[in-house]
């Protein structure tokens, strides 16, 4: 049985119109990603009427409706979703052609790499990879977007960044997660705290002391709450604070104890630390990408460099978690 959309595509003229076709498809793909004509116009640096005309022209040539229009928002029709699936790799490949060609010729001397990450990831995970990448590829402009986990995931889905770096507990179906390094959960206490010298620490021991945790809307809080509830234990949060540096500071002052990931710990803190592998899972960090996205040469090189760097430092690679609801977060981990 013939495919009407495929037949329509076959009837679309080529030749001198090929350049216009690419403009139409680029406008269409950006509109599909961001869900609005105005957003697409901003992405392709054109006026909103121009983008609307390009999409309308494409609809006429294909003799189909690509979007359902609901005020300022638009939604793909089934035919539009099919065209998006077909056109997206083409548009991304053409947009990245110059960079990919240069990379295949052994050069990576121009372009831009946009990375979304939370503040803690930027502080503790990315300095080494970013420094190495900048030194090896000085012609690539690097842009770090300091965002919360939810906003970072939205930027990945809208192709506003090439990739994100962070930790995921569960991976949604439209996201690809490439874990690179993993770190153990650690209990931190002030020096001289009763738990600092205790031979073996149980969850009951921890529950008897006030905790300092990141904001409750982050998955760290939910994870801690889940582990304690599974053991039928109640606990007290003495202080809610954002950022590992803040948490470490107030633990050192004796205002409570906390559960963090070892990546944030150095030899400089005046803290006692105890591993909690028996109760809390290790946390992986890695690259977060939209599934099906064309991965640019600079993105591939950043992934390879990050992997090489952490393996050279003796870190542990991990397997990706199972599919499910997203929990990409901003680095405030437990």
């Amino acid at each position: 049985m013939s495919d009407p959309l495929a037949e329509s595509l076959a009837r679309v003229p080529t030749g001198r119109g090929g350049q216009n076709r690419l403009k139409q498809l680029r406008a269409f793909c950006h509109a599909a990603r961001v869900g609005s004509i105005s957003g697409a116009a901003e992405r392709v640096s054109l006026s909103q009427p121009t983008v609307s005309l390009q999409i309308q022209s494409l609809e006429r040539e294909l003799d189909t409706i690509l979007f359902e229009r609901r005020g300022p928002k638009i939604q793909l029709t089934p035919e539009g979703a099919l065209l998006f699936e077909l056109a997206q790799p083409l548009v991304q490949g053409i947009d990245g052609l110059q960079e990919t060609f240069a990379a295949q010729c052994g050069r990576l001397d121009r372009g831009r790499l946009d990375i979304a990450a939370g503040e803690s990831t930027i502080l503790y995970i990315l300095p080494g990879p970013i420094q190495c990448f900048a030194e090896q590829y000085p012609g690539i402009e690097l842009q770090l977007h300091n965002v919360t986990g939810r906003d970072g995931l939205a930027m990945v889905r809208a192709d506003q960044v090439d990739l994100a770096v962070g930790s995921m507990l569960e991976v949604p179906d439209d996201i690809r997660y490439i874990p690179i390094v993993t770190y153990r959960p650690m209990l931190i206490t002030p020096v001289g705290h009763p738990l600092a010298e205790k031979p073996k620490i149980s969850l009951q021991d921890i529950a008897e002391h006030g905790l300092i945790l990141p904001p409750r809307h982050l998955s760290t809080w939910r994870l801690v709450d889940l582990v304690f509830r599974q053991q039928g234990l109640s606990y007290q949060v003495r202080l809610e604070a954002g950022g590992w540096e803040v948490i470490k500071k107030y633990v050192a002052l004796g205002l409570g104890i906390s559960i963090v990931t070892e990546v944030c710990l150095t030899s400089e803190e005046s803290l006692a630390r105890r591993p909690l592998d028996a109760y809390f899972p290790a946390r992986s960090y890695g690259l977060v990408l939209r599934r099906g996205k064309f991965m640019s040469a600079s993105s591939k090189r950043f992934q390879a460099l990050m992997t090489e760097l952490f393996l050279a430092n003796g870190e542990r690679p991990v397997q990706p978690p199972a599919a499910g609801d997203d929990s990409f977060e901003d680095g405030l981990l437990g």
Side-chain angles (χ1 to χ4, degrees):
M1 185 175 179
S2 63
D3 185 336
L5 181 57
E7 292 178 357
S8 298
L9 281 169
R11 291 196 300 268
V12 174
T14 56
R16 289 190 304 172
Q19 186 175 2
N20 289 333
R21 190 81 11 74
L22 179 59
K23 291 179 180 178
Q24 293 170 349
L25 290 174
R26 181 179 285 113
F28 163 73
C29 286
H30 281 294
R33 290 189 197 111
V34 301
S36 75
I37 299 297
S38 59
E42 183 177 345
R43 296 295 301 276
V44 297
S45 301
L46 294 173
S47 68
Q48 183 172 335
T50 299
V51 171
S52 294
L53 288 172
Q54 288 177 338
I55 293 174
Q56 291 169 11
S57 177
L58 186 61
E59 288 180 321
R60 285 195 301 271
E61 292 176 358
L62 296 178
D63 191 24
T64 191
I65 300 299
L66 300 174
F67 291 108
E68 294 179 2
R69 292 162 175 82
R70 300 175 178 176
K73 291 294 183 180
I74 56 176
Q75 184 174 344
L76 287 169
T77 63
E79 292 79 10
L82 176 57
L83 180 61
F84 182 59
E85 183 180 348
L86 294 171
Q88 182 177 226
L90 170 65
V91 171
Q92 291 179 339
I94 292 296
D95 286 345
L97 179 62
Q98 185 173 9
E99 181 185 338
T100 303
F101 177 75
Q104 292 294 329
C105 293
R107 309 191 318 270
L108 195 58
D109 51 13
R110 60 185 303 176
R112 173 171 166 158
L113 182 62
D114 282 81
I115 301 172
E119 182 173 320
S120 295
T121 301
I122 292 173
L123 285 174
Y124 304 113
I125 301 292
L126 287 178
I130 291 293
Q131 182 179 19
C132 290
F133 189 90
E135 290 174 351
Q136 292 186 27
Y137 307 105
I140 301 294
E141 179 186 352
L142 285 167
Q143 181 77 40
L144 276 178
H145 301 264
N146 186 349
V147 294
T148 64
R150 195 173 299 276
D151 289 343
L153 199 58
M155 294 180 77
V156 168
R157 285 181 165 129
D159 283 340
Q160 294 174 331
V161 294
D162 296 284
L163 56 93
V165 178
S167 179
M168 299 196 78
L169 293 176
E170 298 174 320
V171 184
D173 293 336
D174 64 332
I175 294 296
R176 181 184 175 204
Y177 180 47
I178 306 174
I180 292 177
V181 63
T182 186
Y183 295 98
R184 296 183 301 167
M186 303 289 288
L187 174 72
I188 57 173
T189 73
V191 174
H193 190 276
L195 296 183
E197 305 299 329
K198 192 175 178 66
K200 186 176 181 180
I201 297 176
S202 68
L203 283 179
Q204 178 65 56
D205 295 327
I206 297 173
E208 293 173 359
H209 299 271
L211 291 173
I212 300 176
L213 292 180
R216 65 179 65 228
H217 70 272
L218 297 177
S219 60
T220 297
W221 186 301
R222 297 195 303 272
L223 179 61
V224 170
D225 181 69
L226 174 63
V227 170
F228 277 95
R229 282 193 294 107
Q230 285 177 337
Q231 299 300 316
L233 296 172
S234 59
Y235 62 95
Q236 176 191 0
V237 177
R238 181 168 295 172
L239 177 65
E240 184 178 329
W244 275 334
E245 292 303 314
V246 175
I247 289 174
K248 291 190 296 182
K249 177 69 173 180
Y250 283 92
V251 169
L253 290 174
L255 296 183
I257 63 177
S258 188
I259 301 164
V260 301
T261 302
E262 63 180 334
V263 64
C264 76
L265 300 175
T266 70
S267 59
E268 299 176 0
E269 297 102 354
S270 180
L271 295 168
R273 61 200 73 185
R274 303 290 296 274
L276 292 177
D277 309 68
Y279 304 109
F280 294 89
R283 293 300 299 264
S284 67
Y285 285 82
L287 272 58
V288 182
L289 306 104
R290 179 177 56 75
R291 188 171 294 280
K293 179 179 175 61
F294 175 83
M295 200 168 179
S296 67
S298 56
S299 296
K300 291 179 181 177
R301 186 55 198 141
F302 185 82
Q303 175 193 345
L305 190 151
M306 191 171 170
T307 303
E308 293 166 5
L309 185 64
F310 283 114
L311 288 178
N313 290 338
E315 306 291 355
R316 303 182 298 275
V318 293
Q319 295 299 317
D325 295 330
D326 69 88
S327 297
F328 175 72
E329 64 175 4
D330 66 352
L332 297 175
L333 307 177

